Amino acid sequence: MIMIKNRRKFLIFIPILIIMIISLLTMYNSKYISHIYYNHFYKQLIWYILFFLIVIFFPKLKNIYKYSFIIYIFNITLLILVLFIGKEINGAKAWFSFKGLSIQPSELMKISYSLYLVNIINKYKRKNILKELLFLFKVLIIFLIPSILIFLEPDTGAIIFLLIITISMLILSDIRKLWFILIFLIISLSLGVFFYLFYFKQDLLIDLIGTSFFYRMDRIINIKNNMQLENALIAIGNGNIKGLGLNNAAIYIPEAATDFAFAVCVSSFGFIGALILLINYFIIDCFFLYIIYKSINKTTRLITSSFISVFIFSQIYNICMNIGLLPIMGIPLPLLSYGGSSLIVNGIYIGIILKSNNI
């Protein structure tokens, strides 16, 4: 069992604090880049305070996995309610708003889904192929229920997160590795058919998936001639080595505090600031990968793998999205981009991991 002394485990707060400072400065400068009459500085500060309170004072909940099904059902209820009474932002009905503060149930679903999936996998013992198929079918059902509800919001990024969590946990489970080859082939074939229809048989694809979903995918896939991306690239280029500093804006970026916070960071603090940011992300990534590598406790490995897989994927995707290498989706840069729901979920993840098994 991995044992990290209390003093050592809290060293992880150093890179988190550095990213927090960069984030708050980025939030302050985002108002000059997005031309809004308020900034996200104070709200982000409140969310960071809650984040640290959750991580530091998170209790040792030995029975949290026992009640994971109840937590999962509660979150499913929230996903249903948000479709009817949620606040619509940028065409997506995905938030509950309370006096200026917003909560996103699809973000909370990451932790709810992870806890329930850990419980399911822990109970599974490899038997015959039929039992294994039934197990995978059960996993598929608990994945599809929230995914369909999130799809209706719509929030494509959150569905990708659930898929990544599922794959990362199944890799550490006892199922035969042959299933991963089959899953890979099914996903590859599905994507191949989709892109063939998208580029060569668009009328047929529209008949199959509907106009609304087709144009949603068209906006994601076609990243050329996108004003946000073009402006983000200009902002990054103008950052140079040291950046433009605070109270300065290279160019207007609509989603400066959220999806394109990395572009604002580079514009404000240059490539030196970006390097400092990336080094601190690397330290956090290595810390949690070390826990997965050293821990012999299956539960700790599973919950840590679900967190770090999403955490690393978000870093890679958001940064590549900001520099035009990947399509634009609502995937924020964790700990840097504005968002209370994301910070709370990451705080719960880290709190559970650090308080598990004397870590």
Side-chain angles (χ1 to χ4, degrees), residues 62-120:
K62 295 181 180 180
N63 294 324
I64 191 169
Y65 299 100
K66 180 180 177 181
Y67 299 106
S68 59
F69 178 70
I70 297 174
I71 299 171
Y72 173 81
I73 293 298
F74 175 74
N75 212 150
I76 291 294
T77 305
L78 292 180
L79 289 175
I80 294 172
L81 288 175
V82 80
L83 295 174
F84 295 97
I85 61 175
K87 181 179 180 181
E88 185 172 327
I89 301 176
N90 295 332
K93 208 169 187 180
W95 289 266
F96 290 117
S97 184
F98 306 97
K99 296 183 178 180
L101 295 177
S102 298
I103 297 293
Q104 191 173 3
S106 59
E107 276 288 331
L108 302 178
M109 194 68 222
K110 289 191 293 189
I111 188 69
S112 302
Y113 180 74
S114 295
L115 292 173
Y116 186 42
L117 193 55
V118 167
N119 192 32
I120 296 295

Side-chain angles (χ1 to χ4, degrees), residues 28-195:
Y28 175 81
N29 222 30
S30 67
K31 71 174 183 177
Y32 295 97
I33 293 180
S34 58
H35 298 176
I36 53 180
Y37 296 104
Y38 64 95
N39 65 64
H40 296 84
F41 178 90
Y42 295 106
K43 288 183 180 180
Q44 188 78 335
L45 179 60
I46 292 171
W47 290 123
Y48 259 114
I49 292 171
L50 289 175
F51 168 85
F52 283 110
L53 289 175
I54 290 171
V55 174
I56 295 171
F57 297 106
F58 198 87
K60 289 185 178 181
L61 300 177
K62 295 181 180 180
N63 294 324
I64 191 169
Y65 299 100
K66 180 180 177 181
Y67 299 106
S68 59
F69 178 70
I70 297 174
I71 299 171
Y72 173 81
I73 293 298
F74 175 74
N75 212 150
I76 291 294
T77 305
L78 292 180
L79 289 175
I80 294 172
L81 288 175
V82 80
L83 295 174
F84 295 97
I85 61 175
K87 181 179 180 181
E88 185 172 327
I89 301 176
N90 295 332
K93 208 169 187 180
W95 289 266
F96 290 117
S97 184
F98 306 97
K99 296 183 178 180
L101 295 177
S102 298
I103 297 293
Q104 191 173 3
S106 59
E107 276 288 331
L108 302 178
M109 194 68 222
K110 289 191 293 189
I111 188 69
S112 302
Y113 180 74
S114 295
L115 292 173
Y116 186 42
L117 193 55
V118 167
N119 192 32
I120 296 295
I121 293 175
N122 273 338
K123 292 179 179 179
Y124 171 75
K125 302 296 181 184
R126 182 190 289 187
K127 297 180 181 178
N128 54 52
I129 291 181
L130 180 59
K131 292 286 186 181
E132 207 158 75
L133 275 172
L134 290 174
F135 165 72
L136 290 174
F137 180 74
K138 185 175 182 179
V139 171
L140 178 64
I141 293 300
I142 67 171
F143 166 76
L144 285 178
I145 293 172
S147 297
I148 291 171
L149 293 171
I150 293 169
F151 174 80
L152 295 174
E153 293 181 359
D155 186 354
T156 308
I159 299 174
I160 293 175
F161 287 147
L162 295 185
L163 180 61
I164 291 171
I165 290 170
T166 305
I167 294 174
S168 67
M169 285 200 190
L170 287 178
I171 289 173
L172 296 178
S173 70
D174 295 328
I175 68 169
R176 293 171 175 84
K177 303 310 175 187
L178 174 64
W179 295 115
F180 293 103
I181 298 175
L182 294 176
I183 291 171
F184 175 78
L185 290 175
I186 292 171
I187 293 175
S188 299
L189 181 62
S190 300
L191 289 174
V193 172
F194 173 80
F195 283 111

Side-chain angles (χ1 to χ4, degrees), residues 270-282:
F271 291 98
I272 293 176
L275 181 61
I276 293 172
L277 183 70
L278 294 176
I279 289 172
N280 284 281
Y281 274 123
F282 180 74

Side-chain angles (χ1 to χ4, degrees), residues 237-248:
N238 278 277
N240 293 316
I241 301 298
K242 297 182 179 180
L244 300 176
L246 298 177
N247 304 331
N248 287 298

